[in-house]
């Protein structure tokens, strides 16, 4: 059985969690519940979740960008080896809330860690494991931040980095998507959740059929 790896990327409050839930329900309706694995980064294993806590809580300037990149990569390596690779080898469809493109953008393009250093870390953390499809949920930064700030959570370290930081995240992701148009699909996340879901289903159905995961 062939596995299929889908990552979701986007800014704060772009609706990744909502869209992943809707896609899970759609896959279940197509008798693919057993084959679906939902996971996230940073996190996805007990030890990687412990590292996540260090990264997403506390003061915005708690870590230097290169330290952040190393911590993100440390948690990713645990996730790749213990969860993602075993799941793909048993034919799972993985829906992963963020993956190494987030490090490319947040710590690399915006944080200022060099491209070469980020790619070296990604190689160490992931080897050759890249997603088959990356869905970029793109939307207005202020609306997304407003949405994220209304959540009652201590996980607000990145939100507190401010609007200019997140504008750079948005344009960084769009540039990355333009550079890898086969892997990326950019979805306008500023619309109502059901419309966005329909677009995602069209996309995923086409890709899963092409990969012969769905018949
Ligand atoms: P989340 O709120 O989407 O779960 O993501 C947690 C935060 O971590 C989010 O603000 C983006 C950030 N992040 C990075 O900066 N680099 C990374 O590699 C990952 C996976 C997330």
């Amino acid at each position: 059985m062939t596995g299929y790896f889908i990552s979701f990327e986007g800014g704060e409050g772009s609706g990744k969690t909502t869209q992943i839930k809707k896609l899970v329900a759609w896959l279940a309706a197509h008798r693919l519940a057993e084959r679906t694995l939902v996971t996230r980064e940073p996190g996805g294993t007990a030890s990687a979740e412990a590292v996540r806590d260090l990264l997403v809580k506390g003061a915005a300037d708690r870590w230097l960008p290169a330290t952040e990149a190393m911590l993100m990569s440390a948690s990713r390596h645990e996730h790749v080896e213990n969860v993602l690779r075993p799941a793909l080898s048993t034919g799972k469809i993985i829906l992963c809330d963020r993956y190494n493109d987030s490090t490319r953008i947040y710590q690399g393009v915006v944080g200022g860690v060099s491209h070469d250093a980020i790619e070296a870390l990604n190689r160490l953390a992931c080897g050759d494991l890249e997603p088959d499809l990356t869905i970029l949920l793109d939307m207005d930064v202020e609306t997304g931040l407003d949405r994220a700030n209304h959540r009652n959570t201590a996980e607000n370290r990145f939100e507190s980095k401010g609007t200019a930081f997140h504008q750079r995240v948005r344009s960084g992701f769009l540039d990355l998507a333009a550079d890898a148009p086969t892997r990326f699909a950019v979805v306008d996340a500023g619309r109502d959740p059901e419309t966005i879901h329909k677009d995602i289903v069209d996309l995923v159905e086409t890709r899963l059929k092409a990969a012969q995961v769905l018949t």
Side-chain angles (χ1 to χ4, degrees):
M1 258 200 294
T2 332
Y4 201 84
F5 180 11
I6 305 175
S7 64
F8 288 76
E9 299 281 1
E12 319 308 307
S14 58
K16 290 181 281 95
T17 312
T18 305
Q19 290 305 323
I20 289 172
K21 275 193 192 136
K22 285 180 176 293
L23 187 56
V24 167
W26 183 85
L27 289 164
H30 288 74
R31 294 196 299 259
L32 288 167
E34 303 271 289
R35 279 185 74 179
T36 304
L37 174 79
V38 178
T39 187
R40 70 172 180 181
E41 291 201 352
T45 74
S47 49
E49 289 286 333
V51 179
R52 176 188 176 93
D53 252 22
L54 298 173
L55 283 159
V56 299
K57 295 178 181 168
D61 61 358
R62 181 178 184 188
W63 305 111
L64 295 167
T67 316
E68 243 171 49
M70 290 187 273
L71 289 171
M72 292 290 177
S73 301
S75 75
R76 178 162 304 125
H77 187 58
E78 291 293 317
H79 189 219
V80 165
E81 297 303 328
N82 293 314
V83 176
L84 300 183
R85 285 193 195 282
L88 285 170
S89 74
T90 56
K92 290 274 199 290
I93 300 163
I94 295 174
L95 309 184
C96 189
D97 190 336
R98 297 193 185 279
Y99 187 60
N100 59 14
D101 293 315
S102 279
T103 308
R104 291 185 170 115
I105 301 307
Y106 283 83
Q107 284 70 48
V109 172
V110 183
V113 181
S114 77
H115 174 82
D116 287 354
I118 295 287
E119 290 312 317
L121 283 172
N122 278 342
R123 267 196 307 282
L124 187 61
C126 319
D128 58 356
L129 187 62
E130 290 289 335
D132 297 298
L133 169 66
T134 298
I135 297 174
L136 174 60
L137 294 177
D138 175 64
M139 70 178 290
D140 173 66
V141 166
E142 290 190 8
T143 313
L145 276 177
D146 199 45
R147 208 190 261 174
N149 285 330
H150 277 88
R151 286 180 198 145
N152 190 13
T153 167
E155 291 196 349
N156 60 2
R157 183 170 162 261
F158 282 90
E159 280 85 338
S160 65
K161 286 179 184 277
T163 311
F165 177 95
H166 291 285
Q167 297 283 11
R168 294 172 67 203
V169 167
R170 182 185 189 187
S171 57
F173 271 129
L174 288 171
D175 289 347
L176 195 59
D179 283 347
T182 313
R183 175 165 68 86
F184 270 93
V186 182
V187 173
D188 174 0
R191 300 166 299 160
D192 75 281
E194 210 41 53
T195 309
I196 300 166
H197 172 61
K198 285 203 178 78
D199 279 4
I200 291 178
V201 161
D202 284 348
L203 192 70
V204 169
E205 191 169 25
T206 308
R207 297 290 190 112
L208 291 182
K209 281 183 176 162
Q212 296 182 328
V213 173
L214 201 66
T215 46

